[in-house]
Amino acid sequence: MRLSVIDHPLVAHKLTALRDASTDSPTFRRLADELVTLLAYEATRDVSVEPHPVTTPVAPTTGVRLTSPKPIVVPILRAGLGMLDGMVRLLPTAEVGFLGMIRDETTLQATTYANRLPDDLSGRQCYVLDPMLATGGTLVAAVNYLLDRGAVDVTAICLLAAPEGIEVVRAAFDQHAHVTVVTAAVDERLDEQGYIVPGLGDAGDRLYGVV
Ligand code: URA
C-alpha cells in the first residue's frame, strides 16, 4: 500500500476551513468539492493513458488520451457523494459506480447495504471516494470488494486520515503495490467513538445535515 499526504498550502488552507465548526453546510460542500479536485490531481498521477495523434493548427504531433476501459470512480455512500463532482471535474469520461457502506457505531464494523457496480472490473483502475479514513474498516471492505472483482489498481481519496486507519489499510494490503491512499492530512488519533481528532466531525452530517 502506498500513502500520499498532499503537502500544499492551498490544500492546508481549504482543510482548515473545513475543520472549522462554524463553517455551514453550503460552504463545507463547496470547500470539499474544491479540495477533492486538488487531491484528484495527485491521485490520478498514474492514470492509464496511451499515445494519441493530434493535429494542431501548426503541425501534427502525438499526445495522449485515457485508455479504455475508462477509470471507475466509486463514492462510498453517503459522505463520498460530496466528493463526486470534484472528482469527475478532472475525469469527466470516468464511469461512476456506487457502494453503500455503513459502520455500526458500537462495533465500528462496516457492512455493504447497496452496490451499483459492474460484476467484472478486470483491468479497471478504480478511485474510491471516502472523506474520512477513520478505523479503516470501511475502506478495507470497499477495496477488497473492487479487487475481488478484478480491479487492477485502487486509489482511495480521503480528505482526512487517522494513523490507526492507515495502519489497518496498510496491514490489509501490505503486499499490494497497487493500492494507494491519497489524503490531505494525517491527524493525531481516533477518539472512543471512532471520530478523528482533531478531524472535522461527522463528514456526512456536515455535508448534508443530520438525518
Ligand atoms: N467518519 C466521520 O464522518 N468523521 C470521523 O471523524 C470519523 C468517521
Side-chain angles (χ1 to χ4, degrees), residues 64-148:
V64 298
R65 66 176 177 191
L66 293 182
T67 52
S68 283
K70 299 285 189 281
I72 299 195
V73 175
V74 185
I76 308 287
L77 305 178
R78 101 185 134 132
L81 273 187
M83 301 171 72
L84 182 57
D85 286 354
M87 184 71 194
V88 296
R89 189 171 299 122
L90 274 199
L91 276 182
T93 56
E95 290 174 20
V96 180
F98 296 91
L99 260 186
M101 302 198 121
I102 192 157
R103 80 176 176 164
D104 184 303
E105 293 302 331
T106 316
T107 64
L108 303 182
Q109 292 300 308
T111 48
T112 306
Y113 66 86
N115 96 73
R116 181 78 192 196
L117 278 165
D119 283 338
D120 184 8
L121 294 173
S122 302
R124 306 297 291 261
Q125 283 183 305
C126 299
Y127 294 92
V128 175
L129 307 178
D130 193 8
M132 308 299 273
L133 171 47
T135 61
T138 301
L139 193 56
V140 168
V143 173
N144 273 327
Y145 190 98
L146 300 170
L147 293 175
D148 287 350

Side-chain angles (χ1 to χ4, degrees), residues 21-45:
S22 69
T23 298
D24 61 15
S25 281
T27 312
F28 191 96
R29 281 198 290 272
R30 179 179 55 74
L31 286 165
D33 180 80
E34 293 169 0
L35 185 52
V36 172
T37 304
L38 294 175
L39 298 181
Y41 178 73
E42 270 305 311
T44 50
R45 187 164 285 284

